Amino acid sequence: MPTTKKPLVIVTRRLPDAIETRMMELFDTRLNLNDQPMSQSELVEAVKTADVLVPTVTDRIDAAVLSQAGPQLRLIASFGTGVDHIDLKTARQRGITVTNTPGVLTEDTADMTMALILSVPRRLTEGERLLREGDWGGWSPTHMLGHRIWGKRLGIIGMGRIGSAVARRAKGFGLSIHYHNRRRVDADLENELEATYWESLDQMLARMDIISINCPHTPATYHLLSARRLKLLQPTSYIVNTSRGEVIDENALTRMLERGELAGAGLDVFEHEPAVNPKLLKLSNVVLLPHMGSATIEGRNAMGEKVIINIKTFVDGHTPPDRVLEAMF
Ligand code: 8YV
């Protein structure tokens, strides 16, 4: 849509200052200064007037919203990598281009995944809580015993950018790398990671000590870890999720954790964010984080830069670098 008039860009949440300022310079930008997530009707109002919408994971850009978009809405430049909050099919049918911000949050998310892989078996947050509550009576040989990381098997579900970055870190901690992916990765990458490919997710699950979810949420991965599959895990195994809550049946997982049918879980994401199953909050063998896998200033600035580049390229009449197509998922 090459034009001399600045496009109206509506940003649904607060972004880092530097990003908002640059957007104000480049575009006719409408910011959300109070940072309250928009309601569905506010989103409808936004798509009626915006040329470009910049949503985040907290906005549900579904068919009901998109069906009310004005003809001027040509681009949804999402701030984030996951696009499960956007109805890509309806967007395509309405001729709306969608972009995301891949790559720039890989290392931060992999760091957080590794932090959870270490925290849960080594009981990090449990120990910290005990100390803060004044319940530490001093060192004892049998106190706060967790489980060793070194030498265990890590099963990564989704060996994309983030999965591979997790594997590189995990190798350094002495974990052996196993993975399940829609497609087997290149031999070079498999060799570098010394990774074992499992075509059958069920078979991998039954043999791992720690499972890490690193695949996107799509119709095909919704409840990929169903009640049936979770039961395949050994009772001594751990599960960490920094991807999307919807990939795991959260109620089934909670029940198994309550009954001691799994050793523990590290969850940065939940099925119905920001709601968290209250039963999870009561468990000591879980580490729960408020979706902060990519929450670094550096990462957020880089995400914002990508949003700007995507908008600018599109507005200048070119294909934006991070165009999202349904076929990718
Ligand atoms: C982002 C994420 O913070 O990019 C993603 O897919 O899950 C997060 O790390 C969030 O999506 C921003 O919209």
Side-chain angles (χ1 to χ4, degrees), residues 160-305:
R161 270 184 294 255
I162 297 175
S164 313
V166 170
R168 284 193 189 94
R169 285 159 176 74
K171 242 186 94 184
F173 281 85
L175 285 155
S176 62
I177 308 302
H178 297 250
Y179 76 100
H180 170 79
N181 201 44
R182 273 178 306 177
R183 281 178 298 276
R184 190 168 179 165
V185 301
D186 286 354
D188 283 353
L189 182 60
E190 235 180 52
N191 289 339
E192 179 207 328
L193 302 172
E194 296 173 55
T196 304
Y197 174 60
W198 292 84
E199 196 179 338
S200 159
L201 174 59
D202 287 8
Q203 287 182 19
M204 182 177 88
L205 290 173
R207 292 165 169 85
M208 295 299 116
D209 300 300
I210 304 169
I211 290 291
S212 175
I213 312 283
N214 297 107
C215 61
H217 166 222
T218 67
T221 65
Y222 174 76
H223 280 195
L224 185 66
L225 290 200
S226 57
R228 178 192 73 77
R229 284 219 173 92
L230 287 168
K231 287 203 177 82
L232 299 172
L233 292 165
Q234 301 171 55
T236 49
S237 63
Y238 298 92
I239 187 161
V240 304
N241 189 2
T242 52
S243 165
R244 283 291 182 271
E246 289 92 334
V247 179
I248 308 181
D249 180 338
E250 194 172 292
N251 284 332
L253 174 71
T254 307
R255 276 196 301 276
M256 288 184 67
L257 288 164
E258 277 179 320
R259 294 180 192 147
E261 292 166 0
L262 282 175
L267 306 175
D268 182 46
V269 287
F270 303 88
E271 218 180 313
H272 305 288
E273 291 179 16
V276 177
N277 188 325
K279 292 179 180 159
L280 275 176
L281 299 172
K282 296 206 175 93
L283 299 174
S284 57
N285 55 344
V286 295
V287 175
L288 306 172
L289 297 175
H291 198 146
M292 49 194 274
S294 70
T296 66
I297 292 165
E298 294 86 346
R300 292 285 190 262
N301 280 328
M303 288 159 77
E305 279 294 324

Side-chain angles (χ1 to χ4, degrees), residues 6-310:
K6 283 182 176 182
L8 173 61
V9 175
I10 298 188
V11 185
T12 67
R13 300 297 300 272
R14 281 231 57 184
L15 301 183
D17 275 356
I19 300 303
E20 289 189 343
T21 307
R22 189 66 187 130
M23 287 178 103
M24 292 293 283
E25 288 167 357
L26 289 171
F27 317 119
D28 176 9
T29 305
R30 204 173 293 164
L31 302 172
N32 174 2
L33 293 177
N34 71 21
D35 201 31
Q36 281 304 308
M38 285 188 180
S39 64
Q40 292 310 103
S41 58
E42 285 169 328
L43 285 173
V44 167
E45 283 315 304
V47 296
K48 279 184 179 165
T49 52
D51 298 309
V52 178
L53 183 73
V54 179
T56 73
V57 70
T58 56
D59 304 301
R60 196 158 39 81
I61 315 296
D62 55 16
V65 169
L66 290 172
S67 65
Q68 301 204 56
Q72 81 300 324
L73 182 74
R74 300 267 49 98
L75 175 67
I76 296 174
S78 195
F79 182 88
T81 300
V83 285
D84 52 331
H85 55 299
I86 303 170
D87 182 338
L88 295 178
K89 186 171 171 217
T90 306
R92 173 178 52 76
Q93 286 168 344
R94 296 187 66 94
I96 301 165
T97 299
V98 176
T99 60
N100 65 346
T101 64
V104 291
L105 36 75
T106 303
E107 306 303 335
D108 295 327
T109 309
D111 284 345
M112 195 59 100
T113 309
M114 202 60 224
L116 288 173
I117 290 173
L118 298 174
S119 300
V120 188
R122 294 303 307 272
R123 306 176 64 182
L124 229 75
T125 54
E126 245 186 288
E128 214 247 359
R129 274 195 300 271
L130 175 129
L131 184 143
R132 278 181 191 273
E133 283 160 18
D135 292 335
W136 187 31
W139 186 86
S140 127
T142 53
H143 187 226
M144 288 301 295
L145 302 185
H147 284 280
R148 179 178 293 163
I149 305 293
W150 187 268
K152 294 287 174 14
R153 293 196 175 96
L154 171 67
I156 296 176
I157 301 178
M159 192 59 111
R161 270 184 294 255
I162 297 175
S164 313
V166 170
R168 284 193 189 94
R169 285 159 176 74
K171 242 186 94 184
F173 281 85
L175 285 155
S176 62
I177 308 302
H178 297 250
Y179 76 100
H180 170 79
N181 201 44
R182 273 178 306 177
R183 281 178 298 276
R184 190 168 179 165
V185 301
D186 286 354
D188 283 353
L189 182 60
E190 235 180 52
N191 289 339
E192 179 207 328
L193 302 172
E194 296 173 55
T196 304
Y197 174 60
W198 292 84
E199 196 179 338
S200 159
L201 174 59
D202 287 8
Q203 287 182 19
M204 182 177 88
L205 290 173
R207 292 165 169 85
M208 295 299 116
D209 300 300
I210 304 169
I211 290 291
S212 175
I213 312 283
N214 297 107
C215 61
H217 166 222
T218 67
T221 65
Y222 174 76
H223 280 195
L224 185 66
L225 290 200
S226 57
R228 178 192 73 77
R229 284 219 173 92
L230 287 168
K231 287 203 177 82
L232 299 172
L233 292 165
Q234 301 171 55
T236 49
S237 63
Y238 298 92
I239 187 161
V240 304
N241 189 2
T242 52
S243 165
R244 283 291 182 271
E246 289 92 334
V247 179
I248 308 181
D249 180 338
E250 194 172 292
N251 284 332
L253 174 71
T254 307
R255 276 196 301 276
M256 288 184 67
L257 288 164
E258 277 179 320
R259 294 180 192 147
E261 292 166 0
L262 282 175
L267 306 175
D268 182 46
V269 287
F270 303 88
E271 218 180 313
H272 305 288
E273 291 179 16
V276 177
N277 188 325
K279 292 179 180 159
L280 275 176
L281 299 172
K282 296 206 175 93
L283 299 174
S284 57
N285 55 344
V286 295
V287 175
L288 306 172
L289 297 175
H291 198 146
M292 49 194 274
S294 70
T296 66
I297 292 165
E298 294 86 346
R300 292 285 190 262
N301 280 328
M303 288 159 77
E305 279 294 324
K306 271 197 166 273
V307 168
I308 290 171
I309 291 165
N310 282 319

